[in-house]
Amino acid sequence: MWEYKTLKIYVDKKFLHGKVLDLRNMESELNRLGAEGWELLSVLDTTSLASRNKYYLAFLKRRTS
């Protein structure tokens, strides 16, 4: 069985869960989640959609016990 997680990464505000978004923070966050067993599946770029809030959606999964 799988467990899923979605991360919303804002572009305009440049924040990821309250942290300033830069490559180092993003890599750190993904490595932290990877250590918890999460695997990045895909990323959806919503910046091309007609929306006020521009963000990326990252989809992750991990196996449950």
Side-chain angles (χ1 to χ4, degrees), residues 2-56:
W2 297 100
E3 178 180 11
Y4 297 91
K5 177 184 278 295
T6 304
L7 296 178
K8 187 181 278 188
I9 305 163
Y10 288 96
V11 175
D12 295 339
K13 297 176 184 172
K14 298 192 186 304
F15 278 90
L16 171 67
H17 299 291
K19 300 176 186 174
V20 175
L21 178 62
D22 65 22
L23 186 57
R24 184 176 304 172
N25 285 338
M26 189 64 190
E27 286 178 355
S28 176
E29 183 71 4
L30 289 173
N31 284 326
R32 184 187 69 74
L33 290 167
E36 294 178 6
W38 292 102
E39 177 184 352
L40 180 64
L41 299 174
S42 65
V43 176
L44 173 65
D45 179 1
T46 69
T47 60
S48 62
L49 302 176
S51 171
R52 286 185 150 200
N53 296 322
K54 305 298 184 185
Y55 56 87
Y56 295 94

